[in-house]
Amino acid sequence: MATKDSASATTSSASGSTATATATATATSLRVEDVTVESGIEPGASAETMLVTTDSLEEFEQELSSSIDDRQMKESITSTISDIQQDPVDSPKTLAMNLEKSASFDSNEIDELSQQFGQNSLDADPLKCKVWLAQKKHVFVLSQAGKPIYSRYSSEDKLVTVMGVMQALVSFVQAGNDMIRSVHAGDTNFVFVVRGPLILVSVSKTLESVPQLVLQLTYVYNQILSVLSQSQLTKVYEQRRNFDLRRLLTGSERLIDHLLNFMDREPAFFLSAVKCLPLLPSMRDAITQTIVQTCSKIKNLVFAILLANNQLITLVRMKKFCIHPADLHLIQNLVDSSESFKTAESWTPICLPKFDSNGFMYSHVSYLAEDCQACLLLLTVDRDVFFTLSEAKQKIVEKLRRTNCLEAINESMNKASITIAEIGLSEMRHVLYKCKSTAQFWSPGFQPPYTTDEEIQRLLGCYQCLHHRLHSPSRPLKLIFQQLDKETMLAWVTSGFELYVTFEPLITKTDAINSIGKLLKWIKKEEERLFILNSPTF
Amino acid sequence: MITVEGKVVLLGSQGVGKTSMINRYVNKSFNNNVNPTIGAAFFTCTINLDNAKVKFQVWDTAGQERFKSMAPMYYRNANAAFLVFDITEYNTFTSVKSWVTELKRNVEGTMVLILVGNKLDLADMRKVDSEECRKYAESIGASYYEISVLHDEGVEQVFLAASFGLLKLSTGEKDIVTTLKIYDFNNSEIKNSDVPLSEEVLVNMNIAHGIKEKPYLCC
């Protein structure tokens, strides 16, 4: 699989130098003080936040710093959900029942079947298919026993042999009490993540760095947890090492497919942040208050989340509990990939791995109205309150309609995002601004030349490169100013924010600094509309 | 004119067309790429008969194995069950049988059972024999329908049959009191509302603040 020539393997015991030897960043002597931001008032900053603020590379660091045993320990700690549930006796029982049921079937048949499939389809070997080989980024999931679970392109049971090789690589290195992290061959990176009973592999020809690919694989793993929960996953493999997990995952492949495409086009994932739907602060407050008032009496309601166009309108939480952006991204992925939520109210079990990887929450999912396509999720730990929540939702919608909030949401949803040109910054083209203290980010609409999918992809790729350089574990940077063929880019991280800016290629440093000053002033002026600055609770 | 409201549950293997069937009936639409249901979805619909109105609260459950442990949540207290299978897949018929066993074991109240063989449009690939289904349906006291959700054939009849079934349940109470337990929706309503059996209350089950007027005894 891995070509021998020029292949270098990085393992945890190796020096940890990543393959990108070209990463000598062109940090310049830009004088940051020139940019007029008074410290302490970063746009969008707030003392309160409903999101867990994280460094986007926490996964990677955790991955590096922990041995296998360590990680398994961490993953099986106490359950947040049963803490919330008032009846502590009941919850372990229901969970145990879930597990018994799920593990009580006989998987021999399916196992045999999948083997047959594997053999029958050797004639249609994807490894001989040019289109398949040319895909930019493959993602594979297999069990520690080498059983195929998921492949991004082509059916996984045609890849039994390749996955066997992957499993062999992992276990060979494991035998020496080590972990394989990545293999670099030419322009291709092979990245391995071993989590619990699963092996996740990314084979990428993109410019994404190893930590970024690890992050994506961790998202895939979390997506699987979100469907099955940690305890169920561990349990099935404890009972049968060569279990065929596809049996339990049927129907959720599309969630992984969608997640991978989502990560390729959304900066939210590598920024580890969430984008808000721009709304007048008075409107947003009215919406939030409506939800708070309607739901305040409902016991065990943990989160109320209102999403539109994948952006957050509001999030109300139970006191003491915050939501991790990674969990919110999984929720966004679920909503965005499930058209069927539009036709009926749903009662959906979901495990939020960062919140509690061992238990399920129940989510009442519905769109506000035919004429207002914002999706409301009410998440609870109580599986019997569908009708209470359904009723609450009706009331919320009635009130929002009376107070013209639905209109306000529609107006904002239908309006194209403001572009940098409209803000009046002539030499700037695009920007990503992340406020660290609230884990929220803002970006304007795309303007020429970034109007085709290809160009947008390329631009996001550039941002990812910059992001990697700022956060490179071996050599983190504060400021990058880089003149490329088609644009000039600047990346800047402070204690309060991260900023990634795209300029015209020939801009001078002085002009760049001046326009960043203007941009930050504009964001500051608009911050109440662009960000959620409070953190409401029930 | 009486109004009956009942809880209906859709059961069956993944991919047999449960969601498509309810969507065909409620939203009059058919989607070729319907996503697998996660958990369950809730629908309401009303059927107007000559002298009665039947309101359904339908739980469309997910067919995947991992959701099996959630099913009791939905069939508990249900007044009717649509047992859906795919006539081109014999094992979906087998799993309907296991659903029936589970229902008989766990549900106390009398339930209207309706066996539905979907995908009649693929009749040339049929693997499940009509006669066998009919006999099986008879043995469990269910009615049997073969439908094509794709071509919108027979869907109406299934819901009509269910509404007649529920109506019979609600009016037949006096004669067969011993064999037929009082239907659950009435039971729970009495407990919840502490008023005599009232269709108005039943109607407003979802909207607790709804008006409770003229208690009406149906039996």
Side-chain angles (χ1 to χ4, degrees), chain B residues 36 51 54 56 66 75 90 123 143 156 169 182 209 213 218:
Chain B
N51 49 2
V54 181
F56 287 129
R66 63 174 185 278
Y75 63 63
Y90 195 84
S143 37
E156 294 275 338
L169 263 187
I182 301 171
H209 52 84
E213 50 176 358
C218 74

Side-chain angles (χ1 to χ4, degrees), chain A residues 168-435:
Chain A
L169 280 171
V170 169
S171 64
F172 178 76
V173 181
Q174 259 172 356
N177 279 326
D178 209 341
M179 287 267 284
I180 189 163
R181 303 282 178 202
S182 58
V183 177
H184 308 275
D187 61 349
T188 309
N189 287 338
F190 300 77
V191 177
F192 297 81
V193 168
V194 181
R195 296 291 297 267
L198 304 185
I199 298 171
L200 301 101
V201 185
S202 177
V203 179
S204 162
K205 295 191 182 87
T206 64
L207 296 172
E208 289 158 310
S209 67
V210 173
Q212 283 162 350
L213 294 168
V214 167
L215 180 77
Q216 292 171 7
L217 291 178
T218 309
Y219 264 104
V220 172
Y221 178 72
N222 284 343
Q223 178 64 67
I224 292 173
L225 288 190
S226 162
V227 171
L228 296 177
S229 86
Q230 177 88 47
S231 41
Q232 192 170 345
L233 183 68
T234 318
K235 187 93 174 189
V236 290
Y237 280 109
E238 266 169 15
Q239 296 192 336
R240 231 183 104 100
R241 237 177 73 76
N242 64 346
F243 183 77
D244 188 348
L245 196 67
R246 289 178 299 171
R247 180 157 184 179
L248 286 183
L249 283 177
T250 37
S252 15
E253 303 86 350
R254 70 185 170 93
L255 291 175
I256 305 177
D257 290 340
H258 191 273
L259 177 71
L260 289 168
N261 295 334
F262 210 19
M263 286 194 286
D264 281 348
R265 58 165 211 268
E266 271 292 330
F269 291 88
F270 70 83
L271 288 177
S272 193
V274 173
K275 196 175 177 185
C276 301
L277 185 78
L279 271 181
L280 279 179
S282 58
M283 274 300 166
R284 202 188 303 274
D285 283 346
I287 296 167
T288 309
Q289 281 315 312
T290 305
I291 295 176
V292 172
Q293 281 159 15
T294 317
C295 298
S296 59
K297 294 271 161 56
I298 302 173
K299 265 200 306 184
N300 292 341
L301 186 59
V302 188
F303 297 116
I305 303 167
L306 188 56
L307 296 168
N309 291 347
N310 278 321
Q311 298 167 62
L312 192 60
I313 296 177
T314 187
L315 193 160
V316 187
R317 64 194 176 87
M318 190 185 248
K319 280 186 195 75
K320 289 193 294 190
F321 295 103
C322 286
I323 197 164
H324 193 288
D327 283 343
L328 196 51
H329 291 150
L330 291 181
I331 292 175
Q332 287 176 309
N333 184 52
L334 174 73
V335 171
D336 201 46
S337 58
S338 308
E339 279 289 306
S340 52
F341 288 147
K342 290 184 178 168
T343 51
E345 291 176 73
S346 293
W347 189 230
T348 303
I350 180 170
C351 166
L352 298 178
K354 296 280 181 184
F355 184 75
D356 181 348
S357 62
N358 286 319
F360 283 100
M361 299 182 98
Y362 289 84
S363 179
H364 179 277
V365 191
S366 61
Y367 281 77
L368 287 185
E370 288 269 304
D371 58 347
C372 182
Q373 293 288 297
C375 184
L376 178 70
L377 297 105
L378 301 170
L379 281 89
T380 172
V381 291
D382 194 343
R383 53 152 60 181
D384 295 320
V385 294
F386 175 86
F387 289 102
T388 318
L389 298 180
S390 175
E391 193 188 302
K393 186 250 173 169
Q394 289 307 329
K395 283 190 197 162
I396 290 170
V397 175
E398 281 162 28
K399 277 192 212 166
L400 291 181
R401 194 178 290 283
R402 272 204 306 275
T403 48
N404 298 328
C405 290
L406 294 188
E407 256 170 58
I409 293 172
N410 277 334
E411 198 181 309
S412 179
M413 277 175 77
N414 297 331
K415 202 160 77 184
S417 308
I418 190 166
T419 62
I420 289 289
E422 284 160 357
I423 297 171
L425 300 164
S426 54
E427 283 181 290
M428 198 183 279
R429 290 173 174 175
H430 193 260
V431 60
L432 295 179
Y433 173 87
K434 176 191 170 181
C435 175

Side-chain angles (χ1 to χ4, degrees), chain A residues 8-21 182 184 210 468 472-474:
Chain A
S8 65
T10 322
T11 66
S12 60
S13 58
S15 65
S17 66
T18 47
T20 45
S182 58
H184 308 275
V210 173
H468 171 64
S472 162
S474 50

